[in-house]
Amino acid sequence: MKGKLYMIPNHLGNENTAFTIPSEVAAMACKLRYFIVENLRTARRYLRLLDSQMDIDNSTFFVLDKHTGPKEYSSFLDPIKDGHNIGIISEAGCPGVADPGAEIVKIAHHKNIEVVPLVGPSSILLALMGSGMNGQNFAFNGYLPIDKNERLKAIKQLEARSAKEKQTQLFIEAPYRNNALAQDILKHCRPDTLFCIACNVTLPDEYIVTKPVSAWKGKLPDLHKKPTMFLIQS
């Protein structure tokens, strides 16, 4: 029999995994002996958090990062042909969502391998849940352009799309550029556009607040180097 490909969620920074990872999911993850991961060190550390007694040294890890060539992707699934299950672990949150693991899943479907997504935290959904914005029509746009002019253009386009389609727009930024992005939103969005900042989601200092752009001016929190999801609804 073929093995299966399990999509294993990771925590979002809160190492008290009992708070965000269901016990059955943790148990399932620690039974596996083959893993596809973004970073070997952090993946091993995460599995130790789930079960300090796990036999990690006798587990096999395939690294999927920016240095991995597409030709290697398919070979990562070879143990499945021999009946072994494999788990994909993202650096944070749910694998396959804004994550290179999606390419592995695509190959798995092509090879008729069963894909099993497991329940865990998603910063996208948690931010949307806590925002009070439209949860029936929304879009996650990933990272906005780095170039300032292109970034401002993207912000205006997302605001216009939100107004036209009544759609919540979600996006992220490299944590060290969070403060600059927040300031750009205040400067270039309409005063009545709703703006939500969802910072350090699931951590003890979690911060999720929604206000009109006009109400944020002069009152932005310091978001420097803190994982943050930005949401707007016009």
Side-chain angles (χ1 to χ4, degrees):
M1 291 182 62
K2 279 186 178 180
K4 300 177 183 180
L5 181 64
Y6 287 88
M7 310 295 288
I8 302 169
N10 201 338
H11 62 74
L12 298 176
N14 186 342
E15 294 192 351
N16 178 12
T17 57
F19 181 65
T20 55
I21 308 297
S23 59
E24 291 296 321
V25 170
M28 171 62 72
C30 292
K31 289 178 182 177
L32 303 177
R33 288 299 174 265
Y34 291 87
F35 299 92
I36 300 170
V37 304
E38 285 189 77
N39 181 286
L40 179 59
R41 184 181 64 83
T42 56
R44 289 169 64 96
R45 175 177 171 79
Y46 173 55
L47 291 169
R48 287 287 192 205
L49 289 174
L50 295 181
D51 182 357
S52 61
Q53 302 303 313
M54 181 184 171
D55 187 8
I56 291 179
D57 291 337
N58 286 318
S59 298
T60 298
F61 294 86
F62 304 104
V63 177
L64 176 65
D65 60 17
K66 63 182 180 181
H67 302 296
T68 309
K71 292 182 179 179
E72 297 178 70
Y73 292 179
S74 185
S75 66
F76 291 169
L77 297 174
D78 286 349
I80 284 178
K81 294 184 294 187
D82 299 322
H84 299 291
N85 296 322
I86 298 179
I88 296 183
I89 304 177
S90 178
E91 276 295 271
C94 298
V97 181
D99 173 79
E103 291 300 317
I104 301 296
V105 176
K106 185 187 298 184
I107 294 170
H109 285 296
H110 180 72
K111 292 177 174 290
N112 296 314
I113 294 170
E114 183 176 350
V115 178
V116 184
L118 300 177
V119 174
S122 164
S123 58
I124 298 170
L125 290 179
L126 291 170
L128 184 63
M129 289 166 61
S131 70
M133 295 185 182
N134 189 354
Q136 297 192 67
N137 185 7
F138 60 93
F140 174 63
N141 299 278
Y143 291 92
L144 299 191
I146 295 176
D147 179 80
K148 187 172 181 63
N149 291 331
E150 291 298 316
R151 184 168 67 249
L152 298 182
K153 181 180 177 181
I155 290 170
K156 297 299 291 184
Q157 288 176 337
L158 292 177
E159 184 182 41
R161 183 180 178 188
S162 178
K164 181 180 179 181
E165 302 182 26
K166 307 301 180 187
Q167 185 179 71
T168 303
Q169 303 296 327
L170 302 92
F171 43 93
I172 53 178
E173 181 54 284
Y176 66 91
R177 291 197 294 260
N178 281 338
N179 288 335
L181 176 56
Q183 289 289 352
D184 284 341
I185 291 170
L186 298 195
K187 290 177 183 177
H188 298 281
C189 285
R190 293 194 295 268
D192 59 345
T193 291
L194 290 178
F195 176 33
C196 176
I197 295 172
C199 178
N200 280 346
V201 176
T202 75
L203 274 68
D205 61 344
E206 177 180 88
Y207 180 91
I208 304 177
V209 177
T210 300
K211 301 177 185 179
V213 164
S214 59
W216 278 110
K217 293 186 176 181
K219 300 178 182 178
L220 284 173
D222 182 11
L223 305 172
H224 186 58
K225 293 188 176 181
K226 298 177 182 178
T228 303
M229 186 72 60
F230 300 95
L231 303 84
I232 59 172
Q233 181 181 309
S234 185

